[in-house]
Amino acid sequence: MSSENRIAITGLGLVGPWGTGLEGLWDAQTNGTAGFTPCSRYDNSLPAAEAQKLDLRRMLKSGQLSRAPLVSQYAVAATHLAVTQADMLPERGTKNGGVGIVFGTSNGPGAATQQIYDDLIDTGPTGVKPRVFQESVFNAPASLVSIHFGFAGPIQVVPAAGCSGTAVLFQAQMMLAQPEIEAVIALCSDEMCDAIQKGLRDLKWHADYDGLGGLTDGAVAGEGAVAMILERATHAEARGARVLAELAGVGLANDAAALGRPAKDGRGLVAAIETALEDAQTQAGQVDIILTGSAATKIEDQLESTAITTVFGEASPVQGSSKRSTGFAMGTAALVEIALAVAAINRNATPASVPGETANIDTILCNAIGLNGQFGATLIKGVAA
């Protein structure tokens, strides 16, 4: 990315199993021995990474928002934290057309839709709750964020399993190219859904307990939201904002080798990584850490390992993933890793979920692997001195 098009990250808001905020995510990192229990909201034995309960009445001074579906509650809370950190929290009742929103999700309104079906079966059409019905569309969380904060700029919604975060950042780059847009809220949110979780089990994607208190190979579904404030670096500098890091490069690719069975040579992820490196005008040797995209399934682990070796050779950078500590947050997963990258760069420290130590951390590659052959790669860099 050319110097005049540099994109600054000036705010980060996070909601997840660790609670809220970047400090909580950093502290939640382990070497992969985290314990997971079934989700408390429905009855099945599958391990899950359930987001901690929010107190929106205290955070946002709004009882109405606390009655919205969790996917929307997570989105609003993460946005509040991000715009507060970026010093962009608007006065109540004002409108700002210079701030756009790009929203990504995987499950979207899956839990709300399931509740509608249950109500129809149990009590008929009169049992469907109006508030739940209005939330049963994918753009509902983004619309609620726009209404609550008064951000009247354009809204774009990107539903994509696993790669939503990367796709959101790709679209945010293009939105920021519009001269009337001052900033973009790159936002992902997902709420776990019983039906979807059971479906993933049938696909043998999900980890299960081995009867001895441990987990078998496989993914653990998670949930939560990440909001990232993106601005043109020149705009951020002009208003005196603190720049946390730079969004240096983004790459997206699809592998259509076979439905649900990506090519074992990792060609889709290779293409995404090479595109991100080119976008960032960065050589592979300049990458200090790789935060991996695999959800912890054997197929994805092997595919990603092959792709990394193809791009970086046998002497690849140290690599690891927060997903073994905090679960796989579906559409939000990529932004979780990117937030962790920002924390690592600012601390100049290696997360506990990444084996080994790296000195002078400046450039981190964050991979994303979605269902049906979706791949993403994002390069995050420290602020140039």
Side-chain angles (χ1 to χ4, degrees):
M1 186 178 297
S2 62
S3 58
E4 63 270 18
N5 293 325
R6 291 183 300 120
I7 296 177
I9 302 170
T10 56
L12 269 172
L14 297 89
V15 173
W18 58 85
T20 59
L22 200 54
E23 293 292 325
L25 175 63
W26 183 268
D27 292 342
Q29 301 304 299
T30 71
N31 61 2
T33 59
F36 296 101
T37 58
C39 183
S40 65
R41 297 193 297 273
Y42 41 76
D43 183 21
N44 70 44
S45 61
L46 292 171
E50 187 174 5
Q52 292 189 22
K53 186 174 177 59
L54 295 169
D55 187 353
L56 291 185
R57 289 179 181 272
R58 177 173 296 179
M59 179 185 291
L60 303 172
K61 306 296 188 295
S62 172
Q64 183 178 10
L65 288 172
S66 64
R67 295 192 293 272
L70 290 176
V71 64
S72 291
Q73 290 189 41
Y74 299 155
V76 174
T79 301
H80 173 81
L81 295 170
V83 296
T84 299
Q85 182 179 38
D87 195 23
M88 286 177 49
L89 189 64
E91 295 183 9
R92 189 172 295 276
T94 62
K95 300 290 183 183
N96 187 340
V99 178
I101 301 171
V102 184
F103 173 66
T105 186
S106 174
N107 298 344
T113 303
Q114 183 176 346
Q115 183 179 344
I116 291 173
Y117 291 155
D118 291 342
D119 291 340
L120 284 170
I121 293 170
D122 293 340
T123 60
T126 58
V128 177
K129 302 173 182 66
R131 178 176 291 276
V132 176
F133 181 77
Q134 74 183 28
E135 289 280 350
S136 64
V137 290
F138 272 81
N139 69 326
S143 297
L144 191 59
V145 166
S146 174
I147 293 168
H148 178 78
F149 293 102
F151 295 129
I155 297 176
Q156 186 171 5
V157 179
V158 184
C163 286
S164 284
T166 315
V168 161
L169 296 178
F170 185 83
Q171 296 297 333
Q173 285 181 320
M174 292 191 287
M175 190 177 286
L176 274 174
Q178 307 303 314
E180 67 274 13
I181 300 299
E182 300 172 354
V184 172
I185 301 171
L187 172 66
C188 283
S189 181
D190 261 308
E191 172 187 357
M192 287 189 297
C193 171
D194 189 24
I196 293 174
Q197 198 169 4
K198 289 178 179 176
L200 291 173
R201 177 184 59 187
D202 294 339
L203 293 173
K204 302 186 185 305
W205 177 88
H206 209 295
D208 209 341
Y209 289 106
D210 59 11
L212 301 175
L215 291 174
T216 61
D217 292 330
V220 173
E223 63 181 359
V226 176
M228 185 177 299
I229 308 302
L230 303 176
E231 306 178 56
R232 285 184 294 277
T234 51
H235 180 270
E237 292 163 0
R239 72 179 187 89
R242 180 192 172 209
V243 178
L244 304 175
E246 290 186 3
L247 173 63
V250 180
L252 283 170
N254 279 76
D255 168 14
L259 183 62
R261 296 182 180 179
K264 293 181 179 180
D265 62 6
R267 65 188 68 170
L269 184 55
V270 168
I273 294 172
E274 290 179 342
T275 300
L277 289 168
E278 182 180 359
D279 187 32
Q281 298 179 359
T282 298
Q283 300 298 315
Q286 295 175 265
V287 175
D288 301 307
I289 294 175
I290 300 174
L291 296 181
T292 57
S294 170
T297 65
K298 286 184 178 180
I299 291 176
E300 292 181 356
D301 282 350
Q302 293 169 358
L303 179 152
E304 185 163 21
S305 177
T306 300
I308 289 172
T309 300
T310 299
V311 176
F312 294 91
E314 295 297 333
S316 62
V318 296
Q319 54 198 273
S321 170
S322 71
K323 299 174 186 68
R324 290 167 175 80
S325 304
T326 59
F328 183 82
M330 303 303 291
T332 307
L335 285 192
V336 172
E337 299 291 353
I338 290 167
L340 185 61
V342 173
I345 288 171
N346 278 270
R347 290 168 174 264
N348 194 32
T350 307
S353 54
V354 178
E357 292 291 333
T358 301
N360 301 318
I361 300 170
D362 178 72
T363 303
I364 297 180
L365 171 68
C366 303
N367 292 336
I369 301 176
L371 301 179
N372 296 334
Q374 299 170 331
F375 298 95
T378 304
L379 275 171
I380 302 297
K381 287 190 173 185
V383 181

